[in-house]
Amino acid sequence: MLLAMHAACDYALQDEKMERYKNPRKNRDDPTYGPWWWTMAAHSAINAGGVMVVTGSMIISLAEFMAHFTLDNMKCRGMISTHEDQSMHIFSKLVWALWASALC
């Protein structure tokens, strides 16, 4: 379920505008949209919300927010590839699943 939620949050719920505005290296056509990190935080919160729905854990959701923000920021800055970014997102879902099962 965590992987399915990730697919929904990271792909279906992320439009082209969000992809562009969360990236500090891309031009923004609308200067009133706010700094890049607002959009990155919104995108990370959407993913964290998905983790919260699946795990029911606020602490795991917060960990997802921080991990997602960090990984996507690294990808946007060219520090890691999209493949590495997605691989680390998938790995984090394994960690969250193990963590959630330990809490039960």
Side-chain angles (χ1 to χ4, degrees):
M1 284 308 302
L2 284 168
L3 292 176
M5 190 63 82
H6 174 74
C9 294
D10 218 31
Y11 289 94
L13 297 177
Q14 180 175 202
D15 63 7
E16 290 179 27
K17 190 173 185 179
M18 182 172 277
E19 176 68 27
R20 181 176 71 244
Y21 281 78
K22 76 175 188 179
N23 190 334
R25 294 177 17 175
K26 291 189 177 176
N27 255 340
R28 289 162 198 74
D29 298 328
D30 181 0
T32 63
Y33 202 74
W36 68 268
W37 50 269
W38 285 1
T39 309
M40 184 69 81
H43 173 66
S44 299
I46 290 167
N47 279 274
V51 168
M52 178 68 180
V53 167
V54 174
T55 66
S57 170
M58 182 60 82
I59 191 80
I60 297 174
S61 178
L62 180 59
E64 169 65 20
F65 179 90
M66 294 184 303
H68 207 96
F69 190 102
T70 301
L71 291 170
D72 276 21
N73 188 29
M74 291 172 67
K75 178 189 68 174
C76 288
R77 293 179 183 278
M79 299 166 71
I80 60 175
S81 69
T82 299
H83 176 74
E84 291 166 323
D85 170 69
Q86 288 303 311
S87 296
M88 287 186 262
H89 285 315
I90 291 167
F91 178 75
S92 71
K93 301 313 174 280
L94 173 62
V95 172
W96 307 156
L98 293 171
W99 190 359
S101 66
L103 294 175
C104 293

